[in-house]
Amino acid sequence: QLQLQESGPGLVKPSETLSLTCTVSGGSISSSSYYWGWIRQPPGKGLEWIATIYYAGNTYYNPSLKSRVTISVDTSKNQFSLVLSSVTAADTAVYSCARQMYYSDTSGYFDYWGQGALVTVSS
Amino acid sequence: EIVMTQSPATLSVSPGERAILSCRASQSVSSNLAWYQQKPGQAPRLLIYGASTRATGIPARFSGSGSGTEFTLTISSLQSEDLAVYYCLQYNNWPPWDTFGQGTKLEIK
């Protein structure tokens, strides 16, 4: 059974950098059949796709966040990570990692999700 | 950016009745549309992908239809455990630029 688990600080100060890691178990992050992505959900609001990575290192970003976001993968640890710089209160959200289906000519839906990690931006 | 608009924002249905949720795309997404169910405090659960294919383990009372810009999620006989927020997701873009609808909150009468 595939499982994803987010980890990282729950509190980040304004203007600083948010860093989260997703550890994948029960499956290989190096599978050619999947991407791996990050999605966030501000309290009481909807879902927003942040970024996606392929095990080979191909990266894709939401244009609205692209200037502040970096996604990376460590296949040796079966992990992928998110870095969001210059955070503000508007970045307070539950951040979830998820497995995303790989297609050659379109994006893919998310089928397995982590439980999510609440990150609060506050001084 | 493809904008996904869900309606209604809130839907109240009695147990045993049918619930119909709508999702509209600002431009065609072909059949690259998924539906998710999110219960309070839980991660979203994949219900439907490819507009009409049920994900593994999803009860037959959930069905999806549509293509292009208009999509529907139907719950044929509502059960109390179906209380949740339902989101649609379009994944038609390349390079990826996935967008979710704003959600429909399903209430049980």
Side-chain angles (χ1 to χ4, degrees):
Chain A
Q1 174 78 351
L2 189 77
Q3 292 187 320
L4 299 93
Q5 180 67 58
E6 304 88 353
S7 59
L11 181 64
V12 181
K13 290 182 168 56
S15 80
E16 295 191 346
T17 296
L18 177 161
S19 296
L20 293 169
T21 295
C22 181
T23 301
V24 178
S25 58
S28 174
I29 205 168
S30 299
S31 169
S32 60
S33 298
Y34 305 106
Y35 298 112
W36 304 90
W38 288 96
I39 303 101
R40 71 179 182 177
Q41 185 171 32
K45 296 188 178 181
L47 299 159
E48 180 181 37
W49 168 70
I50 303 171
T52 287
I53 193 164
Y54 195 50
Y55 79 97
N58 313 66
T59 57
Y60 310 95
Y61 297 103
N62 187 321
S64 69
L65 297 167
K66 186 174 183 177
S67 64
R68 299 193 292 129
V69 174
T70 303
I71 188 172
S72 59
V73 64
D74 186 337
T75 55
S76 67
K77 295 182 179 179
N78 229 32
Q79 295 176 334
F80 62 107
S81 298
L82 177 75
V83 172
L84 179 65
S85 63
S86 305
V87 298
T88 70
D91 295 310
T92 293
V94 172
Y95 287 76
S96 298
C97 58
R99 189 178 78 172
Q100 188 173 13
M101 298 301 294
Y102 172 86
Y103 299 115
S104 60
D105 57 353
T106 68
S107 183
Y109 58 89
F110 302 96
D111 60 349
Y112 281 90
W113 295 61
Q115 271 300 106
L118 175 62
V119 179
T120 302
V121 179
S122 175
S123 55
Chain B
E1 178 185 3
I2 299 177
V3 177
M4 306 301 292
T5 303
Q6 292 186 240
S7 61
T10 303
L11 182 62
S12 185
V13 179
S14 298
E17 293 189 343
R18 185 172 63 178
I20 299 175
L21 291 69
S22 295
C23 177
R24 173 177 293 178
S26 60
Q27 63 189 77
S28 177
V29 297
S30 186
S31 294
N32 296 312
L33 190 287
W35 289 95
Y36 294 86
Q37 176 193 65
Q38 186 177 35
K39 296 182 178 180
Q42 296 185 16
R45 174 194 186 194
L46 176 66
L47 298 176
I48 301 285
Y49 63 92
S52 62
T53 302
R54 272 191 305 277
T56 303
I58 301 303
R61 67 179 183 273
F62 291 92
S63 63
S65 63
S67 66
T69 61
E70 300 283 344
F71 300 89
T72 299
L73 174 69
T74 301
I75 308 172
S76 61
S77 179
L78 197 71
Q79 299 189 8
S80 56
E81 64 259 33
D82 299 332
L83 177 149
V85 179
Y86 292 81
Y87 293 96
C88 60
L89 164 72
Q90 71 78 18
Y91 52 94
N92 191 61
N93 289 26
W94 185 261
W97 189 352
D98 305 330
T99 48
F100 291 89
Q102 82 279 16
T104 290
K105 183 177 182 180
L106 183 57
E107 297 179 338
I108 311 298
K109 273 186 185 175

